[in-house]
Amino acid sequence: MKKQLSLLLLAVSLLFSCNQEKPGGTLVTESFGEVNGQEVQLYTITFPGQLTAQVTNYGGIITSLQVPDRAGNLEHVVLGYDDLNSYQEGSYYFGALIGRFCNRIDQGIFELDGTSYELTANDGPNHLNGGREGFDKVVWEEVDQQINRDVISLTLQYLSPDGEEGYPGSLTGRVTYVFTPNALDITYQATTDKPTIVNLTQHTYFNLSGNAKEDVLEHELQLDATAFLPVDSTLIPTGEIRLVQTTPFDFTQPKLIGQDIDQDDQQILYGMGYDHCWILDGGITNTPRPVGSLFHPGSGRKMDIFTTEPALQVYSGNFLDGPIRGKDDQVYDTRYGLCLETQHYPDSPNQPDFPSVVLRPGEEYTSQTTYVFSVEE
Ligand code: GLA
């Protein structure tokens, strides 16, 4: 009897300790295919029952991210493809790292220290997201991985040669993805051997509904941003800094993306919806501070955004001219993903009043952004 009781106690305590101590995360590396004879990897990060992610060193692309809804169902919350070839041929920048300069530069031309530089024009007359073969279309080298129970990190590096896409200087770009059971943290670093410009970001399209069941119009967005940058018809900032108050761009209180996205407003017409840069309150910070959140009431999934950057490009997937066949047989259509790209202002090299994007030898460019996932009732 005594023996039976002690066995029962042991079983109960084991059950209790199992409940308390969830298993740690794992990182598995496998081949994702080849690019120009170079093997490319797919990294799978799993926190059982919690965040699960996949990253490839081709373009530093986050190919998959799954988090639970309020009932605990793990589902995809980012758009992506199943195979490497679709990423190579794709033009939507799904999940990719963007460099050397994200967003647009007017006519692809800028001046630095009295010299004029001409970058690839790959978006009508303008330079977009680093050019024809930007950081999203190159193979990054894996330089570190760390697995530490609830903190798993992967560091990728890319050496961009002097003159690539027209940019001056050899630039070493480094990105560290840190995954925890409920968050993704991204640190960007860069150094150069000649004066140059740099502005790195991440082009993940979020859709918190789960497995892209619907477009993003029923998501609630909140941004600590009292102003935004109006653009011209080619989406280049005019230089004006406009208050969001009384415009469709006011997200200072949580608001459905769909509420004002089709308003008869010149800026909305130019972007075909939201494709604008919001100026985040607080400017540039040393450590990431909260700047906003995205919430999907249907699933209960919420994502809080933290960054050191002074601005955020909100792009509501207006150019997703679907239907696009995505991963796991998902089908993406117009406005099925929302990009929340932390960054310095677009076209800054041509706007002396915008925060500087110049990087000089001996200096280090750094930027950090964290996306934290939770559920709300
Ligand atoms: C960025 C731009 C958009 C669009 C996408 C790519 O987010 O702001 O205008 O070009 O990239 O489709």
Side-chain angles (χ1 to χ4, degrees):
M1 179 64 191
K2 215 172 162 192
K3 197 174 167 203
Q4 272 173 340
L5 190 68
S6 60
L7 274 178
L8 186 70
L9 278 177
L10 181 68
V12 169
S13 77
L14 266 179
L15 199 68
F16 187 68
S17 67
C18 282
N19 269 346
Q20 280 207 323
E21 280 266 311
K22 288 202 167 136
T26 55
L27 168 57
V28 173
T29 307
E30 63 192 308
S31 174
F32 197 38
E34 274 187 14
V35 174
N36 301 329
Q38 213 179 331
E39 195 178 358
V40 167
Q41 311 295 347
L42 184 69
Y43 303 91
T44 303
I45 296 97
T46 310
F47 292 102
Q50 305 177 82
L51 183 147
T52 299
Q54 288 188 306
V55 179
T56 172
N57 59 327
Y58 176 72
I61 295 171
I62 296 173
T63 63
S64 160
L65 189 66
Q66 297 186 69
V67 294
D69 66 4
R70 63 163 73 89
N73 299 312
L74 270 192
E75 287 175 313
H76 293 287
V77 293
V78 305
L79 308 194
Y81 297 117
D82 278 323
D83 61 291
L84 181 58
N85 194 39
S86 300
Y87 283 107
Q88 288 181 274
E89 286 175 2
S91 56
Y92 301 114
Y93 305 93
F94 282 162
L97 290 176
I98 305 294
R100 297 185 185 191
F101 200 98
C102 60
N103 216 314
R104 292 176 173 79
I105 294 179
D106 193 12
Q107 311 291 312
I109 293 172
F110 69 98
E111 216 182 276
L112 178 59
D113 298 339
T115 305
S116 179
Y117 295 95
E118 198 174 334
L119 307 172
T120 319
N122 59 324
D123 184 57
N126 302 324
H127 178 80
L128 173 69
N129 287 342
R132 216 159 280 130
E133 283 208 4
F135 284 8
D136 57 301
K137 288 267 190 281
V138 297
V139 178
W140 291 63
E141 182 197 352
E142 177 205 320
V143 289
D144 188 46
Q145 48 167 272
Q146 305 273 343
I147 307 167
N148 202 340
R149 202 179 158 76
D150 280 349
V151 183
I152 293 183
S153 71
L154 176 70
T155 303
L156 304 174
Q157 179 170 287
Y158 175 64
L159 306 181
S160 173
D162 191 4
E164 191 173 43
E165 299 288 337
Y167 290 100
S170 306
L171 187 90
T172 304
R174 224 176 221 247
V175 172
T176 300
Y177 288 123
V178 180
F179 297 93
T180 65
N182 69 338
L184 159 65
D185 176 82
I186 311 164
T187 297
Y188 308 83
Q189 290 162 293
T191 51
T192 182
D193 65 356
K194 283 185 197 160
T196 191
I197 56 168
V198 63
N199 194 8
L200 306 179
T201 194
Q202 230 289 341
H203 208 284
T204 286
Y205 290 73
F206 294 99
N207 184 328
L208 304 183
S209 72
N211 298 345
K213 284 193 265 302
E214 55 184 54
D215 61 33
V216 293
L217 302 187
E218 300 296 314
H219 284 56
E220 265 177 29
L221 179 67
Q222 188 273 318
L223 295 175
D224 293 339
T226 45
F228 78 106
L229 298 174
V231 290
D232 67 14
S233 63
T234 69
L235 301 182
I236 295 290
T238 59
E240 180 194 343
I241 290 176
R242 190 178 294 174
L243 294 178
V244 295
Q245 215 179 15
T246 72
T247 75
F249 297 83
D250 190 353
F251 284 96
T252 50
Q253 298 302 316
K255 181 173 81 176
L256 288 182
I257 308 258
Q259 185 173 314
D260 295 329
I261 200 171
D262 288 320
Q263 270 201 25
D264 187 17
D265 171 284
Q266 185 62 72
Q267 285 301 311
I268 289 279
L269 293 174
Y270 282 158
M272 289 167 56
Y274 294 116
D275 194 354
H276 297 77
C277 199
W278 271 253
I279 298 180
L280 299 170
D281 300 342
I284 302 165
T285 51
N286 286 328
T287 52
R289 85 286 188 182
V291 294
S293 62
L294 185 66
F295 176 55
H296 181 256
S299 67
R301 289 191 185 90
K302 187 177 184 205
M303 183 177 83
D304 287 292
I305 310 159
F306 301 76
T307 191
T308 57
E309 285 297 293
L312 179 85
Q313 178 83 5
V314 177
Y315 168 56
S316 52
N318 316 310
F319 303 132
L320 293 176
D321 44 359
I324 299 158
R325 181 152 292 281
K327 62 190 310 91
D328 287 350
D329 291 327
Q330 295 172 36
V331 177
Y332 310 140
D333 224 315
T334 312
R335 297 182 177 165
Y336 262 58
L338 184 78
C339 297
L340 297 162
E341 312 163 42
T342 55
Q343 58 190 249
H344 272 51
Y345 306 0
D347 198 34
S348 319
N350 294 309
Q351 293 280 355
D353 293 335
F354 288 179
S356 170
V357 287
V358 174
L359 181 71
R360 297 182 183 279
E363 296 174 348
E364 187 181 44
Y365 164 93
T366 58
S367 160
Q368 190 181 351
T369 294
T370 318
Y371 301 102
V372 179
F373 298 90
S374 60
V375 286
E376 272 187 10
E377 287 311 312

